[in-house]
Amino acid sequence: MMGLTAAKLPGLNSFYTFPEYRRLHVGVQKRITEVTDDLSVRSRALSGTSEPRRGVAPDKMSDHAVFTRDKVLTIHSMNPTVKKVEYAVRGPIVQRAVQIEQELRQGVKKPFTEVIKANIGDAQAMGQQPITFFRQVLALCSYPELLKDNMFPEDAKNRAKRILQACGGSSIGSYSASQGIDCVRQDVAHYIESRDGGVPCDPDNIYLTTGASDGIVTMLKLLVCGEGPTRTGVMISIPQYPLYSAALAELAAVQINYYLNEDKCWSMDVSELERSLEAARKYCNPKALCVINPGNPTGQVQSRQCIEDVIRFAAKENLFLMADEVYQDNVYADSCQFHSFKKVLFEMGPQYSDTVELASFHSTSKCYMGECGFRGGYMEVINMDPEVKAQLNKLVSVRLCPPVPGQALMDLVVNPPKPGEPSYNNFKKERTDTLKLLAEKAKLTEDILNTVPGITCNPVQGAMYSFPKISLPGRAIKEAMALGQVPDMFYCMKLLEETGICLVPGSGFGQIEGTYHFRMTILPPTDKLKILLAKVKEFHEKFTKQYS
Amino acid sequence: MMGLTAAKLPGLNSFYTFPEYRRLHVGVQKRITEVTDDLSVRSRALSGTSEPRRGVAPDKMSDHAVFTRDKVLTIHSMNPTVKKVEYAVRGPIVQRAVQIEQELRQGVKKPFTEVIKANIGDAQAMGQQPITFFRQVLALCSYPELLKDNMFPEDAKNRAKRILQACGGSSIGSYSASQGIDCVRQDVAHYIESRDGGVPCDPDNIYLTTGASDGIVTMLKLLVCGEGPTRTGVMISIPQYPLYSAALAELAAVQINYYLNEDKCWSMDVSELERSLEAARKYCNPKALCVINPGNPTGQVQSRQCIEDVIRFAAKENLFLMADEVYQDNVYADSCQFHSFKKVLFEMGPQYSDTVELASFHSTSKCYMGECGFRGGYMEVINMDPEVKAQLNKLVSVRLCPPVPGQALMDLVVNPPKPGEPSYNNFKKERTDTLKLLAEKAKLTEDILNTVPGITCNPVQGAMYSFPKISLPGRAIKEAMALGQVPDMFYCMKLLEETGICLVPGSGFGQIEGTYHFRMTILPPTDKLKILLAKVKEFHEKFTKQYS
């Protein structure tokens, strides 16, 4: 970038018509980009005066004079950490998919009639039906007049009454306590105790959240401090769910990558954790280790042994553990079982369970519920310093409370109908059917993808995604580079344009350099999923041929 | 603080039993506070080794040895900007109120039988009834089986169908677009156009939010950058709603105070804005000006002239305007009218409306709706740089979407039943009754408080709060100081302990030094509000006598 100074700029302290000014301004702006990101310096340069940040007073302008003020908020003057944020799951490929949908509606001819979105774990958008009981209770809470009606089962009414009684003025329109409604937090605690075979859970350690993302960002916010080589580093898996990288970028924390082992079904190796940590200690202060289990985007379910190893590693290296367990009910492989970090921690004895700091996260958005739109979730904190906890309580109070309908839904998830209650059988059937269907689609996805030469796919043991490795011909890579595109983005964009299928390139999640992947959800209805997989297969073969 | 070094610390690199260790550790921790806030340095000092951040490896410990690891996340190692956050509306006084409620339930004898919370604008918790139509539509959206029923009016059903059709898979359990559901944003745009007498509104400038707080924090996040004397400064009114100071503290932005003129019914004086800005330019880079109208905590409604002056000031001084207009329907005084910043901006002609950057905020939580629990809101941005807008779109995509039930509710607020529709008359009656009652309570509050010697109260022209000035006797101020308490916190705590009334001290909102206030909501039911005001009167007289 050239070292441009104010003296070299054309005199901008005279009036221009607006289009003229804009043209000139844009040109100037381009040239002075990167000279400085500080608006004050820039506007002084533009106006050629030493008076900082003053526009021309409009009341001193004639009626025909046009206002020449710079914008306050520009790409140069805005928060630089926000600029560094990336979120591939809703990135450029999804924006293009939305455009294509509009084009289809406008009658633009395409080689397909419909965009199939397999980019995001949005179950109900893909046709998954909500659990009847949950929605009945939510309707009753929303409009309590319905409690007088005979159309709802008694257990749904009782559940609604219990939630309403816990709300100010018996209304879900009131703010709740910032940490969440007391009785919901109690129910969450009971759920965790029962899930973890009796390991005690204190409702005071439960924080209801606006989806799991909110809890994760809040915890990271508490952890980050320091500057330069003492800046907080946070270890995240690669591939990762890009909420983590986005939050760390925004907080200007250091992202420390550890790689999952694709050859061993995306397992976590402690030796890789050690390598990663060792390297990071040279340039930052690593303080936390994040694990997603079952894995997103990778679909693996970590073994109990692996979790124990990770906890031992965190204890030894003095790391705060964050366990993202939002897919805890999404386990399909017969050989796999979900083990919560908390349960394993407590089974390891008091030298671990009394000391290792752990935050774990759950959500209403995934599993058999798929209630993404309600933004419900919870976080449990273990061994958190009481002074920090007081700070956490203060911090969550600023946003007043998580959405109360989402809290109500979280309550239903952790306290569903029990055997003997009127809604139990139907609830059980709905849950079982949904999970069975997901398991079938997980297997279908894995099986079909593995028939494609140049695509290799690990078993989808859990969660809602497949993250297959794709071989891209050298010529495709070259062409992508020439276009300034990451090769797997080039691939996915072509796939979208030619077939209407929207996947997310592996580069949005991170991958070992020189390897390429995509993430696809297993959520489309079976018939659509089959079409999708057949199209991917056909496309991949064609693409490989075309660029070989 | 004494200059303590590692050499002066007792040797901590041997084992202690856990209680011993804790005792010792706490003592040491106290002494080394402020020597450094950096855990790595501190743990090196504690362990007496040069190896940073390593605990004693547990697998090298005997079965009986106790783990001596420091906590990763402590008050010293945590994010220092979070520590600076304060939020009085849910601060210590409210925590004490909750404790007192528990004590009452446990049978502890008090000079009162009930805590009356007038600390937060939580209408439905204080008995305000939700709008029937809104809740009917929400119930229908939650459980669409109800659409088959004859118990709901046709317009409610049509509205629910329209919202559901706009959702993925026709379910409010799906994620929406991150900016919010398209048709809701269109309805918001129509509402704004009609509210502002035809000033055009582009749905693409509308962002649905998780309450207004979310939008305000997001905008501030975009604005903040720089270091030291170039750090972004944001002008906020004093008294202010403490979300602003909390968000600025967390972002490490510079809070620039401008004072509202209590003698002129909390009006904004441009001369005060000039003074405040001039002073701030010496130590930061002022970039934005926040206005709350109608005022929180001060209850004033700004005149059209005042808003025009403020816009002219912002234009002249190149400031980004943020207009918090969540109380836009809460105007009670006959002489007052709500004028949106946007409308006034556009009436001032293109040299303003084409250039001044404005973000304005609305919410489902206030006005006649009082639907706080749903966390619905919107933000409109005007004249935002397109590149910045792309960044904003990216930023909001990370949190996936605002709660969909809150979006649905926002839609109903901006698009309520119309004349001729089946629900119109009832809707109109409910809205009018609620606003009329609020107006009566505003007057009642002002009138009674002004009968108390030592309390002076401006008219509650709008919003939901009174912010009276209270005279505190010198001896009370001294006693408070001796206890390390801010005098109006001392006053409010005493009021709470003696009467069960929970107000928020003026110091939580900011006030001219040497003056004291409290904020109380006008929301309690009229009978309770009368008791509350009588008790405040009695308490204030007693307090004044006691400390004179």
Side-chain angles (χ1 to χ4, degrees):
Chain A
M1 187 64 211
M2 52 184 170
L4 194 74
T5 68
K8 293 185 195 161
L9 289 171
L12 277 181
N13 48 349
S14 45
F15 291 142
Y16 292 88
T17 63
F18 195 67
E20 270 175 12
Y21 167 74
R22 293 289 294 194
R23 254 196 318 277
L24 186 53
H25 175 65
V26 169
V28 171
Q29 210 168 33
K30 271 192 191 147
R31 281 184 288 144
I32 64 167
T33 304
E34 290 172 41
V35 168
T36 172
D37 254 10
D38 180 23
L39 174 69
S40 61
V41 178
R42 199 161 56 85
S43 56
R44 257 169 288 174
L46 280 168
S47 67
T49 72
S50 60
E51 179 81 291
R53 287 175 302 273
R54 301 246 174 169
V56 178
D59 46 4
K60 295 195 185 120
M61 291 159 61
S62 79
D63 273 4
H64 294 92
V66 186
F67 200 66
T68 64
R69 215 160 34 79
D70 244 4
K71 278 204 192 295
V72 180
L73 186 58
T74 68
I75 197 78
H76 308 292
S77 71
M78 70 173 282
N79 188 338
T81 66
V82 170
K83 276 192 269 187
K84 291 192 187 119
V85 168
E86 283 182 33
Y87 188 68
V89 173
R90 295 207 156 187
I93 198 135
V94 184
Q95 286 162 23
R96 179 65 193 132
V98 171
Q99 273 177 0
I100 290 177
E101 278 181 325
Q102 280 168 352
E103 291 169 13
L104 283 173
R105 276 196 296 273
Q106 289 157 3
V108 178
K109 258 197 109 75
K110 303 265 176 194
F112 50 88
T113 54
E114 183 194 15
V115 172
I116 305 180
K117 287 189 196 154
N119 61 297
I120 187 165
D122 191 1
Q124 295 189 17
M126 290 287 106
Q128 185 177 309
Q129 291 306 300
I131 296 288
T132 303
F133 178 80
F134 293 177
R135 293 308 196 87
Q136 287 175 331
V137 177
L138 287 169
L140 289 160
C141 288
S142 299
Y143 188 50
E145 277 292 303
L146 293 171
L147 287 166
K148 296 177 188 157
D149 220 271
N150 287 326
M151 65 180 300
F152 289 97
E154 277 310 304
D155 52 350
K157 287 189 185 178
N158 290 337
R159 213 57 67 87
K161 283 182 204 159
R162 182 162 174 271
I163 292 168
L164 288 171
Q165 272 162 16
C167 294
S170 296
S171 171
I172 58 168
S174 302
Y175 291 121
S176 75
S178 297
Q179 202 175 341
I181 298 171
D182 278 1
C183 83
V184 179
R185 292 190 292 113
Q186 283 156 17
D187 288 349
V188 169
H190 289 146
Y191 162 79
I192 293 175
E193 284 182 356
S194 134
R195 180 197 69 188
D196 291 344
V199 173
C201 178
D202 182 351
D204 203 41
N205 289 338
I206 304 297
Y207 290 78
L208 300 183
T209 58
T210 308
S213 303
D214 169 45
I216 292 166
V217 170
T218 301
M219 262 317 307
L220 290 173
K221 214 181 256 180
L222 283 179
L223 279 161
V224 170
C225 70
E227 291 300 330
T230 69
R231 189 69 182 162
T232 296
V234 176
M235 300 178 73
I236 64 172
S237 61
I238 297 295
Q240 55 123 8
Y241 173 55
L243 166 70
Y244 290 90
S245 51
L248 293 175
E250 203 188 311
L251 290 165
V254 180
Q255 173 180 328
I256 306 170
N257 295 338
Y258 67 88
Y259 290 84
L260 299 175
N261 190 337
E262 183 165 13
D263 295 336
K264 288 208 259 168
C265 198
W266 299 114
S267 67
M268 274 175 87
D269 293 343
V270 169
S271 61
E272 166 59 12
L273 294 176
E274 280 164 353
R275 179 208 62 76
S276 155
L277 182 66
E278 196 70 18
R281 282 200 167 129
K282 298 197 178 97
Y283 56 87
C284 71
N285 179 9
K287 270 168 59 173
L289 168 59
C290 301
V291 182
I292 311 174
N293 178 52
N296 176 5
T298 37
Q300 84 285 19
V301 178
Q302 302 294 2
S303 69
R304 198 196 165 289
Q305 184 59 49
C306 167
I307 293 171
E308 192 173 322
D309 293 346
V310 170
I311 292 173
R312 194 167 282 121
F313 171 80
K316 176 164 159 255
E317 302 294 354
N318 225 24
L319 295 168
F320 191 106
L321 263 175
M322 290 176 58
D324 179 340
E325 300 177 330
V326 301
Y327 299 98
Q328 54 191 264
D329 295 328
N330 294 109
V331 177
Y332 315 120
D334 289 337
S335 56
C336 294
Q337 202 191 326
F338 170 71
H339 302 275
S340 79
F341 266 75
K342 185 185 178 194
K343 183 174 189 228
V344 177
L345 177 67
F346 276 73
E347 287 168 354
M348 288 168 72
Q351 77 268 42
Y352 292 96
S353 62
D354 286 353
T355 62
V356 173
E357 295 152 81
L358 168 69
S360 57
F361 307 91
H362 195 16
S363 159
T364 60
S365 304
K366 309 297 167 185
C367 303
Y368 64 92
M369 305 80 81
E371 295 282 14
C372 310
F374 283 83
R375 316 305 302 118
Y378 75 73
M379 147 168 98
E380 182 186 16
V381 295
I382 308 281
N383 291 320
M384 181 174 268
D385 184 281
E387 285 179 297
V388 176
K389 206 150 171 297
Q391 294 287 327
L392 172 58
N393 291 348
K394 182 190 69 179
L395 184 62
V396 297
S397 80
V398 178
R399 63 103 165 88
L400 297 163
C401 71
V404 176
Q407 295 188 48
L409 192 52
M410 192 76 247
D411 188 61
L412 301 169
V413 169
V414 296
N415 186 20
K418 285 174 191 47
E421 290 180 347
S423 302
Y424 178 72
N425 287 339
N426 190 47
F427 164 74
K428 202 183 157 196
K429 185 181 179 320
E430 289 177 346
R431 182 178 61 179
T432 311
D433 288 355
T434 300
L435 289 173
K436 199 170 144 238
L437 195 59
L438 286 171
E440 283 165 15
K441 293 194 280 193
K443 191 80 182 66
L444 184 74
T445 304
E446 175 196 339
D447 288 350
I448 298 187
L449 287 177
N450 277 327
T451 65
V452 187
I455 296 188
T456 48
C457 178
N458 268 321
V460 183
Q461 297 171 333
M464 298 175 161
Y465 317 98
S466 166
F467 195 72
K469 189 190 279 183
I470 49 176
S471 308
L472 300 184
R475 225 157 49 77
I477 295 170
K478 258 193 203 151
E479 188 162 328
M481 300 292 200
L483 292 165
Q485 265 184 348
V486 184
D488 49 15
M489 173 65 92
F490 174 78
Y491 175 93
C492 287
M493 271 294 186
K494 264 197 164 321
L495 176 72
L496 174 64
E497 297 289 348
E498 293 181 18
T499 66
I501 294 169
C502 179
L503 308 179
V504 189
S507 46
F509 305 88
Q511 53 201 351
I512 288 181
E513 214 178 303
T515 70
Y516 303 105
H517 301 77
F518 58 72
R519 185 184 86 162
M520 66 167 277
T521 70
I522 58 166
L523 294 175
T526 309
D527 52 341
K528 265 197 199 165
L529 184 62
K530 282 182 183 161
I531 296 171
L532 186 157
L533 290 164
K535 281 188 171 187
V536 168
K537 184 174 180 166
E538 191 190 355
F539 171 83
H540 190 83
E541 287 164 355
K542 203 183 117 200
F543 182 93
T544 306
K545 220 166 173 181
Q546 187 184 347
Y547 288 100
S548 290
Chain B
M1 187 63 212
M2 52 185 172
L4 196 73
T5 68
K8 290 188 196 159
L9 289 172
L12 276 182
N13 48 348
S14 45
F15 291 141
Y16 292 87
T17 63
F18 194 67
E20 268 175 15
Y21 168 74
R22 293 291 292 195
R23 250 197 319 277
L24 185 53
H25 175 66
V26 168
V28 171
Q29 211 169 30
K30 270 192 192 147
R31 282 184 286 145
I32 64 168
T33 304
E34 290 171 40
V35 169
T36 173
D37 253 12
D38 180 23
L39 175 68
S40 62
V41 179
R42 200 163 56 83
S43 55
R44 257 171 288 173
L46 280 168
S47 65
T49 72
S50 59
E51 180 83 289
R53 286 178 300 276
R54 299 248 174 168
V56 178
D59 47 4
K60 293 191 188 125
M61 290 158 61
S62 78
D63 272 4
H64 294 95
V66 185
F67 201 65
T68 63
R69 217 160 33 78
D70 245 2
K71 279 205 191 297
V72 179
L73 185 58
T74 69
I75 196 77
H76 308 291
S77 72
M78 70 174 282
N79 190 336
T81 67
V82 171
K83 278 193 268 187
K84 290 193 187 118
V85 168
E86 282 181 34
Y87 188 67
V89 174
R90 295 205 155 187
I93 198 134
V94 184
Q95 285 161 23
R96 179 65 193 133
V98 171
Q99 273 176 359
I100 290 178
E101 278 182 325
Q102 279 167 353
E103 291 169 13
L104 284 172
R105 275 196 296 274
Q106 289 157 4
V108 179
K109 259 196 106 76
K110 303 265 175 196
F112 50 87
T113 55
E114 185 194 13
V115 171
I116 305 180
K117 287 190 197 153
N119 61 296
I120 187 164
D122 191 1
Q124 295 189 17
M126 291 285 105
Q128 185 177 308
Q129 290 306 300
I131 297 287
T132 303
F133 178 79
F134 293 177
R135 294 308 195 88
Q136 286 175 333
V137 178
L138 287 170
L140 288 160
C141 289
S142 298
Y143 187 52
E145 277 292 303
L146 292 171
L147 287 165
K148 296 176 188 159
D149 220 273
N150 286 326
M151 65 181 299
F152 289 96
E154 277 309 304
D155 53 349
K157 287 188 186 180
N158 291 337
R159 213 58 66 86
K161 283 182 206 159
R162 182 162 174 272
I163 292 168
L164 288 171
Q165 271 162 18
C167 294
S170 296
S171 170
I172 57 168
S174 302
Y175 291 121
S176 76
S178 298
Q179 201 174 341
I181 297 171
D182 278 1
C183 82
V184 179
R185 292 190 293 113
Q186 283 157 16
D187 289 348
V188 169
H190 289 145
Y191 162 80
I192 292 175
E193 283 182 357
S194 136
R195 180 197 69 187
D196 291 344
V199 172
C201 178
D202 182 350
D204 202 40
N205 289 337
I206 304 297
Y207 291 78
L208 300 182
T209 58
T210 309
S213 303
D214 169 45
I216 293 166
V217 170
T218 301
M219 263 317 305
L220 290 173
K221 214 181 257 181
L222 283 178
L223 280 160
V224 171
C225 70
E227 291 300 329
T230 68
R231 189 69 182 162
T232 296
V234 176
M235 300 180 71
I236 63 171
S237 60
I238 299 294
Q240 54 123 6
Y241 173 55
L243 167 70
Y244 291 90
S245 51
L248 294 175
E250 202 188 310
L251 290 165
V254 180
Q255 174 181 325
I256 306 171
N257 297 339
Y258 67 87
Y259 289 84
L260 301 175
N261 190 337
E262 184 164 13
D263 295 336
K264 289 206 259 167
C265 199
W266 299 113
S267 66
M268 273 176 88
D269 293 343
V270 168
S271 60
E272 166 60 11
L273 294 175
E274 281 165 352
R275 177 209 62 77
S276 154
L277 183 66
E278 195 70 19
R281 282 198 168 131
K282 298 195 177 99
Y283 57 88
C284 71
N285 179 10
K287 270 168 60 172
L289 168 59
C290 301
V291 182
I292 311 173
N293 178 52
N296 176 6
T298 37
Q300 83 286 18
V301 178
Q302 302 294 2
S303 69
R304 199 199 165 288
Q305 184 58 50
C306 168
I307 293 170
E308 192 172 324
D309 293 346
V310 170
I311 292 173
R312 195 167 282 121
F313 170 81
K316 176 165 158 254
E317 302 294 353
N318 225 25
L319 295 169
F320 191 106
L321 263 174
M322 289 175 60
D324 179 340
E325 302 178 328
V326 300
Y327 299 98
Q328 55 191 262
D329 295 328
N330 294 109
V331 177
Y332 316 119
D334 289 337
S335 56
C336 294
Q337 202 190 325
F338 170 73
H339 302 274
S340 78
F341 267 75
K342 184 182 178 194
K343 183 174 189 228
V344 177
L345 177 67
F346 276 73
E347 285 168 356
M348 288 167 72
Q351 76 269 42
Y352 292 96
S353 62
D354 286 354
T355 62
V356 173
E357 295 152 82
L358 169 69
S360 58
F361 307 92
H362 195 16
S363 160
T364 60
S365 305
K366 310 297 167 186
C367 303
Y368 65 92
M369 304 81 81
E371 296 280 15
C372 310
F374 283 84
R375 315 306 301 120
Y378 75 72
M379 149 167 99
E380 183 186 16
V381 294
I382 308 281
N383 290 320
M384 181 173 269
D385 183 282
E387 284 179 297
V388 176
K389 204 151 173 299
Q391 294 288 327
L392 172 57
N393 290 348
K394 181 190 69 179
L395 185 61
V396 298
S397 79
V398 179
R399 62 102 166 89
L400 297 163
C401 70
V404 176
Q407 295 187 47
L409 193 52
M410 193 76 246
D411 187 63
L412 302 169
V413 168
V414 296
N415 185 20
K418 285 174 191 48
E421 289 179 347
S423 302
Y424 178 70
N425 288 339
N426 189 47
F427 164 74
K428 201 183 159 198
K429 186 182 179 316
E430 289 178 345
R431 183 178 61 180
T432 311
D433 288 355
T434 299
L435 289 173
K436 200 171 142 236
L437 194 60
L438 285 171
E440 283 166 17
K441 294 195 278 192
K443 192 80 181 67
L444 184 74
T445 304
E446 175 195 339
D447 289 350
I448 297 186
L449 286 177
N450 278 327
T451 66
V452 187
I455 297 188
T456 49
C457 178
N458 268 321
V460 183
Q461 298 172 332
M464 298 175 161
Y465 316 98
S466 167
F467 196 71
K469 189 190 280 187
I470 48 176
S471 309
L472 300 184
R475 224 154 51 75
I477 295 169
K478 259 193 203 150
E479 190 163 324
M481 300 292 199
L483 291 166
Q485 267 186 348
V486 183
D488 50 14
M489 173 62 93
F490 175 77
Y491 175 92
C492 287
M493 271 294 185
K494 265 198 163 322
L495 175 73
L496 173 64
E497 297 288 349
E498 292 181 19
T499 67
I501 293 169
C502 179
L503 308 178
V504 189
S507 47
F509 304 89
Q511 53 202 353
I512 289 182
E513 214 179 304
T515 69
Y516 303 104
H517 301 76
F518 59 73
R519 184 184 86 163
M520 65 168 279
T521 71
I522 58 166
L523 295 175
T526 310
D527 53 341
K528 263 196 198 165
L529 183 63
K530 282 182 183 161
I531 296 171
L532 186 157
L533 291 164
K535 281 188 173 188
V536 168
K537 183 174 179 165
E538 191 191 352
F539 171 82
H540 189 83
E541 287 166 354
K542 205 183 115 199
F543 183 91
T544 306
K545 217 170 178 179
Q546 188 184 345
Y547 288 99
S548 289

